[in-house]
Amino acid sequence: MLAVTKGFGPPAVVAAAAAGLDKIGENYAQELATKASAASAAGLAVHFIGRLQSNKVRQLAGVVDVWETVDRPRLVAELARRAPGTTILVQVDSSDEAAAGKGGCSPAEVGDLVAAALDAGLVVDGLMTVGPTTGGPDAARAGFRRTRRLADELGLRTCSMGMSGDLEVAVEEGSTRVRVGTALFGPRGQASADALTS
């Protein structure tokens, strides 16, 4: 389980470690910068799970342990230059929502992107996908199944699929890592953040 601390302050990082979790996920470079020292002090690995711009790689290199949203060759090249040998997941657009800002390469492009990342010296640990935002948990099933099949075909061990709203379906379809924020910390917002600090 990856504890998603987006929208919560450093106390959420401490709470994740106290609960026995070993990694956190962050979506935004600027927000991660405010929590990096707390994660390091708690011995937590940091996964970047947000839409990643190439120009943010330099800022985050040395802080991020696993980059879960690698979805294009330019990003592979930038990671190879700024964080050689780093561990990544290739993000797959399994729900045709890349245009909505979720990111991900098409399933047809996954093999070539994995090969390019390996050729660049990156460690490709697996695939990641985000389910659709409409249609309920079952709407994600087909995309999760397709992503799991791709991971198996490529011999990749990690399949990061599922969040608070669809994690049961993701696990049924073979997820090896779920990204959970709301179900762990409650709804995002000032009231929740205040509760974590009290």
Side-chain angles (χ1 to χ4, degrees):
M1 182 181 296
L2 182 64
V4 178
T5 53
K6 173 183 82 171
F8 297 101
V13 175
V14 175
L21 298 172
D22 61 357
K23 50 191 164 288
I24 62 162
E26 277 296 328
N27 289 64
Y28 303 112
Q30 195 167 5
E31 189 175 343
L32 174 54
T34 69
K35 300 175 197 172
S37 61
S40 178
L44 297 174
V46 174
H47 291 226
F48 194 80
I49 59 172
R51 191 80 198 269
L52 184 60
Q53 297 173 323
S54 298
N55 63 357
K56 297 293 185 186
V57 171
R58 183 167 131 183
Q59 177 185 348
L60 297 174
V63 174
V64 173
D65 297 292
V66 179
W67 309 78
E68 290 206 14
T69 53
V70 178
D71 62 358
R72 56 199 183 280
R74 182 176 171 195
L75 195 48
V76 164
E78 188 66 10
L79 284 165
R81 187 162 78 102
R82 301 285 186 185
T86 197
T87 300
I88 70 163
L89 301 185
V90 168
Q91 184 178 357
V92 183
D93 174 19
S94 64
S95 63
D96 301 320
E97 290 193 358
K102 288 190 174 189
C105 64
S106 74
E109 298 170 321
V110 170
D112 288 343
L113 192 57
V114 167
L118 292 170
D119 287 347
L122 303 180
V123 176
V124 183
D125 190 49
L127 303 180
M128 179 268 215
T129 195
V130 178
T133 53
T134 59
D138 248 7
R141 189 176 298 279
F144 287 166
R145 185 174 298 155
R146 183 167 45 244
T147 302
R148 177 74 247 186
R149 189 179 316 119
L150 277 169
D152 290 342
E153 288 170 1
L154 294 165
L156 300 172
R157 68 178 189 154
T158 298
C159 204
S160 179
M161 311 186 297
M163 299 186 292
S164 294
D166 56 16
L167 64 89
E168 291 88 355
V169 169
V171 170
E172 288 171 9
E173 295 301 335
S175 178
T176 62
R177 178 180 300 144
V178 290
R179 304 176 305 274
V180 183
T182 303
L184 286 175
F185 303 115
R188 288 179 182 89
Q190 192 58 45
S192 297
D194 289 345
L196 282 169
T197 59
S198 58

